[in-house]
Amino acid sequence: MTQSSTTNRRIVLASRPQGAPTAADFRLEEAPIPVPAEGQVLLRTLYLSLDPYMRQLMDEVPPAYAPRVELGSHMVGGTVSRIVASRHPGFQVGELVLGNAGWQDYALSDGSDLRALGDMKQPSYALGGLGMPAFTAYVGLLDIGQPKAGETVVVAAATGAVGAIVGQLAKLKGARVIGIAGGADKVTFAREQLGFDVALDRHDPQLAQKLAQAAPDGIDVYFENVGGAVFGAVVPLLNVGARVPVIGVIADYNRKGAAEGPDRLPKVMATILQKRIRMQGLVIFDHYETRHEDFIRDMTAWVAQGKVKLVEDLLEGLPQAPEGLIGLLHGSNFGKVVVRVSEA
Ligand SMILES: NC(=O)c1ccc[n+]([C@@H]2O[C@H](COP(=O)([O-])OP(=O)(O)OC[C@H]3O[C@@H](n4cnc5c(N)ncnc54)[C@H](OP(=O)(O)O)[C@@H]3O)[C@@H](O)[C@H]2O)c1
């Protein structure tokens, strides 16, 4: 089923996942294309972003920062769209915009959530390397992590949408970067293509020992993308005064119930206290007003100058979205996952 000008394909939440989502938790439906009312535009989706937070919105109890997706409703998501009909004085037919159409071919908007992209050459970058994930890396690393030249920075999911940018920005700041990623190909890529000083495989049973060897002077900034076993390996190596921007804990997103193994909380709390660690959570939506302009200016320049490389994992066609999200949660992606919904 490809995109058409007569029906709206949409992927809805069919059931709430018990642990890891499966294809059966999603359903592809067809509906009439909606008609814009006065003050609205009709958006035709070109690119859909797939992001780990989507898994959390599938649960009965959603995270604190966003409402859950209701059963039978289309999955939410950031999109790059073309305006194909406009009854809004601020938007013209043909304009390219960043918005939140979700997992569907067409959507209405009153314009309040849209940002014009002009004639951006590679519009999918507005969802990744010049979009939300890279903005998260920028604010989390530069404002909370504050790496200094010569310090050691560790980041996991190191070839992913956020992690690949974190490591490259830390290098720009003169830090020594240790990336942790899943599998030999990602490890090689992190070292050879992204320029990280060291890269380690999170599946290696010797990860904790290898991380200790790779960080003989301890860890000054740990950019927390994943939680789980990687966090366990990092904690004993944190230096006095280390900074830990807490961005995501993807190792737990599919978990039902308590984590296995001994209770690590007392050790973690003692480390935070004794080493005077600064851990700070970040929800990127809070920072658009104050930091987004700076991000776009700096990141556009760094990419143009070849100082930051953008890595995109492009899937073809809306029906690929469920498998794309399922894979992302296990680590099958290589860079920022984007679905090309339409070429129009
Ligand atoms: N706070 C915010 O505002 C905000 C905004 C954007 C993203 N985030 C968070 O940032 C993190 C990264 O997001 P992203 O979009 O850049 O995704 P991503 O890194 O492109 O993809 C997710 C990656 O997580 C890794 N992973 C999966 N299960 C894991 C596990 N059990 N242990 C360790 N790593 C695991 C996999 O990488 P490997 O196979 O290479 O390990 C996978 O490729 C997520 O936790 C996400 O929720 C937060």
Side-chain angles (χ1 to χ4, degrees):
M1 225 192 303
T2 53
Q3 192 179 53
S4 86
S5 54
T6 51
T7 54
N8 183 26
R9 294 171 310 168
R10 30 185 244 149
I11 296 178
V12 302
L13 181 63
S15 53
R16 299 204 183 278
Q18 302 301 311
T22 69
D25 294 319
F26 304 89
R27 189 171 62 241
L28 180 62
E29 291 183 348
E30 284 195 350
I33 295 174
V35 178
E38 193 57 40
Q40 290 185 321
V41 295
L42 178 63
L43 304 171
R44 179 175 173 139
T45 310
L46 305 188
Y47 295 99
L48 164 68
S49 178
L50 295 182
D51 298 276
Y53 75 85
M54 293 168 173
R55 168 65 188 87
Q56 297 176 291
L57 305 192
M58 297 169 80
D59 280 335
E60 183 77 26
V61 181
Y65 59 82
R68 69 183 180 203
V69 175
E70 297 300 337
L71 289 173
S73 293
H74 70 267
M75 291 286 294
V76 297
T79 47
V80 168
S81 304
R82 184 80 66 194
I83 294 181
V84 290
S86 179
R87 297 185 66 191
H88 188 300
F91 293 96
Q92 307 296 317
V93 168
E95 269 188 79
L96 197 62
V97 290
L98 180 68
N100 301 287
W103 296 28
Q104 53 184 347
D105 287 326
Y106 294 92
L108 297 175
S109 169
D110 65 4
S112 59
D113 65 335
L114 301 182
R115 190 160 67 81
L117 294 176
D119 59 355
M120 196 172 181
K121 283 199 185 64
Q122 214 152 338
S124 58
Y125 284 175
L127 300 170
L130 295 173
M132 184 279 283
F135 184 37
T136 304
Y138 180 93
V139 176
L141 184 74
L142 302 185
D143 295 4
I144 302 176
Q146 300 183 9
K148 296 176 196 64
E151 287 191 329
T152 298
V153 173
V154 174
V155 60
T159 62
V162 176
I165 304 293
V166 168
Q168 293 182 83
L169 297 190
K171 286 298 296 176
L172 277 182
K173 294 291 166 189
R176 184 165 172 275
V177 175
I178 302 174
I180 300 173
D185 289 351
K186 288 183 178 181
V187 164
T188 302
F189 188 85
R191 223 173 15 231
E192 295 182 359
Q193 301 297 320
L194 300 177
F196 297 178
D197 298 281
V198 178
L200 301 172
D201 187 347
R202 75 170 158 103
H203 302 300
D204 186 336
Q206 304 289 308
L207 175 66
Q209 294 89 319
K210 289 193 178 162
L211 185 59
Q213 284 163 12
D217 300 326
I219 295 169
D220 301 295
V221 179
Y222 173 53
F223 191 101
E224 177 60 297
N225 261 339
V226 302
V230 176
F231 180 66
V234 163
V235 168
L237 304 174
L238 289 170
N239 285 333
V240 170
R243 286 82 66 201
V244 181
V246 180
I247 307 302
V249 285
I250 195 168
D252 293 328
Y253 293 172
N254 286 328
R255 186 190 303 290
K256 281 266 167 220
E260 285 165 21
D263 180 4
R264 289 194 314 224
L265 192 60
K267 174 79 185 151
V268 170
M269 295 303 280
T271 304
I272 292 172
L273 169 65
Q274 293 163 20
K275 301 265 188 79
R276 287 84 99 193
I277 309 291
R278 188 150 57 82
M279 294 183 93
Q280 187 179 327
L282 172 135
V283 173
I284 196 56
F285 309 130
D286 298 341
H287 299 272
Y288 277 82
E289 257 182 50
T290 52
R291 293 291 272 145
H292 193 250
E293 246 178 63
D294 299 337
F295 159 72
I296 291 290
R297 181 200 58 227
D298 291 345
M299 199 66 183
T300 307
W302 289 330
V303 171
Q305 293 158 9
K307 290 181 175 168
V308 174
K309 207 175 262 185
L310 304 186
V311 190
E312 197 171 70
D313 191 338
L314 197 62
L315 306 178
E316 289 295 342
L318 184 64
Q320 296 301 314
E323 286 304 331
L325 180 61
I326 292 166
L328 171 69
L329 295 166
H330 291 301
S332 67
N333 64 304
F334 213 106
K336 169 64 198 154
V337 186
V338 175
V339 181
R340 191 186 348 234
V341 177
S342 165
E343 303 231 11

